[in-house]
Amino acid sequence: MGTISNLDDARTRNISQIAHMFELHRDTVRKRLKEALVKPAGKKSGVDVYAMADVGPALFSAEVGNKSEDDYDPNKMAPKDRKDFFQSERERLKFQTEIGELIPDSEYRLDLAATLKYLVSAFESLPDNLERRYKVPPEVLEHVEKWADENRAWIYNKVLEVDADAR
């Protein structure tokens, strides 16, 4: 790399110097400058030099600003990016589990099963409890039993719908 003799030399660089400075390939620098329509600021020793004020945004604005939905779709990512994406997702899920925001599927299913068993048991024993505790007449108990059966069947059907959606 050459020495800087005046301030204008510090503000301009050729493609090789820019590539070295930002640790990019010269073809990458050339392509990004062309895409951003950056014009040379002049020539030094017969080689085009570019103003660093124009070079920075041209090289890195594509990485920061112009992201589309496809840039976040793992199926459309480059293999390295896909690996990094899934690794970060795995770490996020692990962290959320550690702090209690997520619970394992098996724990959820056990809790749901226990809740539904209790609920079904309550529906089944409701008419008997009403008869024993409150001496409810048989005509009313028939309506309560019918209501309990309908609601138990509704819950059963909703559980089947959820299970079908999960597959």
Side-chain angles (χ1 to χ4, degrees), residues 8-131:
D8 287 336
D9 290 345
R11 293 187 179 140
T12 59
R13 295 279 190 275
N14 65 35
I15 288 181
S16 295
Q17 292 169 330
I18 295 167
H20 178 75
M21 184 181 300
F22 291 109
E23 297 180 357
L24 296 170
H25 194 275
R26 288 177 352 153
D27 292 339
T28 303
V29 171
R30 190 176 292 111
K31 177 184 162 208
R32 289 185 185 172
L33 292 177
K34 184 178 177 182
E35 286 173 355
L37 304 173
V38 175
K39 301 290 183 206
K43 285 193 181 273
K44 183 172 181 186
S45 302
V47 177
D48 289 335
V49 290
Y50 297 86
M52 294 305 293
D54 298 334
V55 168
L59 290 180
F60 301 107
S61 66
E63 292 180 10
V64 176
N66 302 328
K67 297 261 183 191
S68 69
E69 283 291 320
D70 289 347
D71 292 330
Y72 299 104
D73 182 0
N75 296 323
K76 296 180 181 178
M77 290 180 178
K80 168 89 170 90
D81 295 338
R82 188 178 314 123
K83 176 187 172 257
D84 293 343
F85 171 79
F86 284 116
Q87 213 167 15
S88 71
E89 283 299 296
R90 208 175 286 117
E91 290 298 316
R92 182 182 60 82
L93 293 173
K94 186 175 163 185
F95 173 72
Q96 286 180 318
T97 301
E98 286 174 4
I99 63 171
E101 283 185 8
L102 292 177
I103 60 170
D105 189 51
S106 57
E107 258 183 66
Y108 164 76
R109 288 180 183 274
L110 288 173
D111 288 349
L112 181 61
T115 303
L116 290 175
K117 284 178 186 176
Y118 175 80
L119 189 58
V120 167
S121 174
F123 276 130
E124 287 177 354
S125 62
L126 182 62
D128 294 335
N129 286 334
L130 290 174
E131 183 180 18

